[in-house]
Amino acid sequence: MNFLAIPPSPTTIFSSPHKLLSSGEKSSCLRLGRAEEYRRVTMRGGSENRKPLQKGRNLSIEAIQAVQSLKRVKNDLQQLDRVYDSKISRLLKFDMMAVLRELLRQNECLLALKVFEDVRNEHWYKPQVSLYADIITVLASNGLFEQVQIIHSYLKVETDLAPEIDGFNALLRALVSYNLGELAMESYYLMKKVGCEPDKTSFRIVIKGLESTVEAVDLRIVKQDAQKIYGDLLEFLEEEDEAAIATSMR
């Protein structure tokens, strides 16, 4: 399996050119090469952002061992290739997804991205907007904005996306929170394309969030859509402010 070590700053992880996928393709955009193909990158301190493993029914013994093994050798690219091949490739669907989510929880971004690459190539893989939202949230919170762009490009070419309103709202919230207005607008149009009608939460996130961002975004269509469904735009946007004030006074 292929992988590149985690850089110490939010710069690109790609040492070779990448291309965006055409519709229906699932081939890898994240070119995480084998150890011998890339220069060595200095890793962050081993104790930095380290979190305890989440134990219980969400992680089997095999999943826990896989996470521990990957973290233990992440500074040694040669060993990382071997450990990844031996620990990840043989995992079942439940364990593979558990490893992915645990790596995300521990901010092991590039380890998680590598696992996600393999997840997308599994026969059982079905795209979920909520998973994309989780990945993008973690990447953005760690300053890996180029990786956010590429993961978002994966989402845009996925087929058979479910109209997952909570997942789309989580995605919109993450993108708006990190001032990624263009991607937020693309996500808004994507949710409509897959038959997921925006709700009040969707409109509030996009309109109120992007009106205050420094990135120039045309919100006219979003506001028109909101008015067609809910009527007075200002009235329903103010509902959230009133609810928030009421909650804070309790």
Side-chain angles (χ1 to χ4, degrees):
M1 295 294 177
N2 299 332
F3 192 74
L4 181 63
I6 300 176
S9 60
T11 54
T12 179
I13 60 173
F14 311 106
S15 294
S16 59
H18 59 270
K19 63 181 181 66
L20 298 183
L21 299 176
S22 59
S23 179
E25 285 186 344
K26 292 246 182 102
S27 60
S28 171
C29 283
L30 297 176
R31 309 222 175 180
L32 307 178
R34 297 192 70 85
E36 63 270 20
E37 297 172 0
Y38 295 93
R39 63 183 178 85
R40 182 155 186 152
V41 180
T42 303
M43 303 287 287
R44 291 175 178 173
S47 61
E48 184 177 343
N49 295 326
R50 178 174 292 174
K51 296 181 181 180
L53 283 172
Q54 176 183 339
K55 297 182 180 180
R57 63 184 179 88
N58 291 328
L59 282 175
S60 67
I61 293 176
E62 290 78 10
I64 291 174
Q65 290 176 342
V67 172
Q68 290 175 332
S69 297
L70 289 177
K71 291 177 64 179
R72 188 160 47 243
V73 300
K74 67 181 183 180
N75 289 315
D76 187 329
L77 298 183
Q78 295 288 350
Q79 285 197 53
L80 182 56
D81 287 337
R82 292 193 292 270
V83 169
Y84 191 94
D85 287 344
S86 65
K87 294 293 185 180
I88 299 297
S89 301
R90 65 184 184 181
L91 290 179
L92 299 176
K93 172 184 177 180
F94 182 88
D95 287 334
M96 203 166 183
M97 293 302 298
V99 168
L100 172 58
R101 291 195 177 278
E102 181 62 18
L103 290 171
L104 289 172
R105 191 183 74 86
Q106 297 197 34
N107 290 316
E108 295 288 351
C109 296
L110 300 193
L111 288 175
L113 286 179
K114 181 54 188 165
V115 175
F116 184 54
E117 283 291 313
D118 285 352
V119 165
R120 293 183 73 245
N121 290 319
E122 292 289 342
H123 65 89
W124 43 258
Y125 171 72
K126 184 175 181 179
Q128 293 182 313
V129 180
S130 56
L131 177 58
Y132 272 96
D134 290 342
I135 294 173
I136 285 175
T137 299
V138 173
L139 291 176
S141 68
N142 283 274
L144 298 173
F145 295 109
E146 184 170 348
Q147 285 70 32
V148 168
Q149 293 271 356
I150 293 173
I151 291 297
H152 193 270
S153 76
Y154 281 17
L155 176 63
K156 290 191 296 183
V157 298
E158 290 282 18
T159 58
D160 196 30
L161 272 177
E164 187 184 350
I165 185 64
D166 290 339
F168 271 109
N169 284 344
L171 176 63
L172 290 171
R173 187 175 289 108
L175 294 171
V176 168
S177 296
Y178 289 95
N179 294 318
L180 299 171
E182 184 176 341
L183 294 186
M185 290 300 298
E186 290 179 10
S187 299
Y188 173 79
Y189 292 123
L190 177 62
M191 70 187 295
K192 294 181 63 177
K193 179 180 177 182
V194 302
C196 183
E197 287 299 322
D199 61 7
K200 285 187 176 181
T201 300
S202 311
F203 288 121
R204 286 168 180 155
I205 292 170
V206 174
I207 296 173
K208 299 190 73 172
L210 296 185
E211 276 186 333
S212 60
T213 187
V214 295
E215 184 177 353
V217 177
D218 189 348
L219 294 172
R220 285 176 296 180
I221 293 178
V222 181
K223 291 180 178 180
Q224 289 171 6
D225 291 344
Q227 287 178 319
K228 287 178 184 177
I229 300 174
Y230 297 108
D232 191 328
L233 177 64
L234 183 61
E235 180 179 338
F236 97 79
L237 286 176
E238 288 179 341
E239 287 177 7
E240 183 184 57
D241 293 333
E242 293 173 358
I245 293 172
T247 301
S248 65
M249 295 177 64
R250 291 176 185 173

